[in-house]
Amino acid sequence: MQVRRGCGRGGFVSELEERVSSSIVDRLQAGPVLGAEGYVFELERRGYIKAGPFVPEVVLDYPDAVRELHREFLRAGADVMVALTYYAHREKLRDVGREGDLEAMNRQAVRLAREVADEGGALVAGNVCNTWAYDPDDPATGQTVRAMYAEQLGWAVDEGVDFVISETNDYLGEALIAVEVIRDLGLPAMVTLAPTQPDQTRDGYGYAEACRILAAEGAQVVGLNCDRGPSTMLPLVAAIRDAVDCAVAVQPVPYRTNAAAPTMETLRSADGERAFPIALDSFTCTRFEMAQFTLQSRELGVDYVGICCGAGPHHVRAMAEALGREVPASKYSPSMDLHPMFRADVKAKDAAFLHSWSA
Ligand SMILES: [Zn+2]
């Protein structure tokens, strides 16, 4: 049995030991599971992934960069290491001339996630997403999608994943193909929809109805991820919670979306420029906003609370601490009472600066 490194408190270790080595379903029954995603955005920001194609070539080209981000999310309290196979499918790799690296990239992504997960008792999730190849009006595309998922997840199972996350699904039809493939592999499935439309999938199912169907077809966890920030995603959650008996997952982007711009794709700067995908910085939620989201989602009955594109480890740690956890990175959580200008006993020599700090 592995325990998370560097956590010094007995209570935390005991709680962790109960959760370690159990399946995602067992962990969800024992309490909330904290997810952390957004690897593609964060590694793009760090200079390892090209914006535009957003293919995770970093897995083969700079594996240490992937390990490091996994480790940062693990230290911040993430319970699941998601293998970076987002867009690592045949259609996307062809776009960047790396179709020949498909198998190596998928296998390596799972190995990196497993390696870091084992440092802290996290689960490893295989990962597939919307393919951009699916057309509900063309049944042949369903076979193409099925083949892509089957080959990606075949390698993932071979390398050893605990469950599979199928995410950013625009179409219920495409998500159902993922459920079938995952079910055939004998793994638990977490399937989340990308809520880019006001209230329904691109093939016309209300989000709650789509989640109900996904659960009925065998998904153990259903819900929403990506595209919307907390304030515009949370209003969709209650209906999903009411529609299903299984666990519900919600992983918003940490951006301040609003009624006029409910998704990150629709956010615009003051001069009207589109902010998505690489000028979203000024819309980023603070760690406090993500902590508040965590509590609000728990009140709505969300079981798998997470964060998507735009996430930083500081968000994840704040979310873990909102759940009452002390995690390895909590060692360096803020102590503003020790800040030279914010402490109660500001030194006389520094007090002269206070007026300029308050101006
Ligand atoms: Zn995302």
Side-chain angles (χ1 to χ4, degrees):
M1 179 173 291
Q2 286 132 351
V3 294
R4 207 173 288 236
R5 288 195 307 194
C7 47
R9 294 230 312 226
F12 178 68
V13 172
S14 309
E15 182 202 342
L16 187 68
E17 281 174 344
E18 277 176 24
R19 292 190 284 133
V20 165
S21 299
S22 55
S23 71
I24 183 65
V25 175
D26 291 341
R27 289 196 189 200
L28 285 162
Q29 279 171 357
V33 168
L34 181 60
E37 299 197 28
Y39 285 91
V40 169
F41 264 34
E42 182 58 25
L43 288 166
E44 188 280 330
R45 198 156 53 185
R46 296 181 187 192
Y48 295 108
I49 281 180
K50 184 181 283 292
F54 285 116
V55 174
E57 299 168 84
V58 60
V59 165
L60 292 177
D61 298 350
Y62 294 95
D64 280 348
V66 180
R67 271 190 204 95
E68 173 61 24
L69 185 53
H70 278 313
R71 198 167 281 126
E72 289 172 20
F73 282 153
L74 182 77
R75 290 184 68 255
D79 292 311
V80 175
M81 294 293 104
V82 183
L84 182 47
T85 55
Y86 195 93
Y87 279 173
H89 55 67
R90 198 166 283 282
E91 189 100 346
K92 274 284 183 179
L93 263 67
R94 197 177 290 146
D95 285 350
V96 294
R98 294 195 73 164
E99 201 176 347
D101 290 332
L102 183 65
E103 179 173 354
M105 197 178 291
N106 275 272
R107 287 184 179 277
Q108 171 95 325
V110 176
R111 281 189 216 125
L112 295 173
R114 170 61 67 193
E115 182 185 326
V116 178
D118 285 351
E119 295 174 3
L123 294 178
V124 175
N127 185 229
V128 290
C129 59
N130 60 313
T131 62
W132 299 100
Y134 183 76
D135 178 351
D137 298 325
D138 180 359
T141 61
Q143 289 307 316
T144 304
V145 171
R146 189 183 311 272
M148 285 198 281
Y149 288 161
E151 70 178 352
Q152 269 194 286
L153 293 178
W155 295 318
V157 169
D158 210 28
E159 296 294 335
V161 294
D162 298 303
F163 70 109
V164 176
I165 296 175
S166 157
E167 63 174 321
T168 55
N169 285 289
D170 296 309
Y171 298 100
L172 173 64
E174 190 172 32
L176 285 170
I177 295 170
V179 171
E180 282 174 28
V181 173
I182 299 164
R183 202 179 52 202
D184 288 350
L185 290 166
L187 287 170
M190 170 168 146
V191 185
T192 48
L193 305 166
T196 51
Q197 309 295 305
D199 52 17
Q200 62 183 25
T201 64
R202 287 187 185 276
D203 44 358
Y205 294 85
Y207 291 127
E209 173 65 0
C211 285
R212 190 193 63 73
I213 294 169
L214 288 164
E217 291 301 313
Q220 281 80 2
V221 189
V222 297
L224 305 172
N225 87 290
C226 210
D227 300 295
R228 290 179 183 241
S231 64
T232 53
M233 189 176 273
L234 281 168
L236 302 176
V237 172
I240 294 173
R241 178 68 283 171
D242 287 346
V244 300
D245 295 325
C246 69
V248 170
V250 178
Q251 304 202 88
V253 294
Y255 295 115
R256 293 185 189 126
T257 52
N258 56 62
T263 63
M264 64 177 172
E265 289 86 350
T266 49
L267 284 169
R268 292 193 177 261
S269 66
D271 54 6
E273 294 293 316
R274 186 186 298 280
F276 177 84
I278 49 173
L280 286 160
D281 309 56
S282 64
F283 298 100
T284 304
C285 295
T286 65
R287 66 187 76 192
F288 305 105
E289 290 168 311
M290 292 313 296
Q292 184 189 26
F293 155 76
T294 302
L295 297 177
Q296 290 171 325
S297 62
R298 288 293 294 147
E299 282 170 18
L300 289 166
V302 173
D303 305 283
Y304 190 111
V305 185
I307 181 169
C308 206
C309 304
H314 66 308
H315 290 127
V316 180
R317 179 177 61 188
M319 295 168 74
E321 291 177 350
L323 291 172
R325 297 179 186 172
E326 182 179 344
V327 297
S330 295
K331 179 179 179 185
Y332 302 107
S333 286
S335 293
M336 299 314 274
D337 54 325
L338 296 179
H339 189 287
M341 299 301 277
F342 296 148
R343 58 193 302 158
D345 56 337
V346 177
K347 289 180 181 168
K349 77 173 178 61
D350 297 330
F353 296 113
L354 269 177
H355 72 276
S356 63
W357 283 58
S358 304

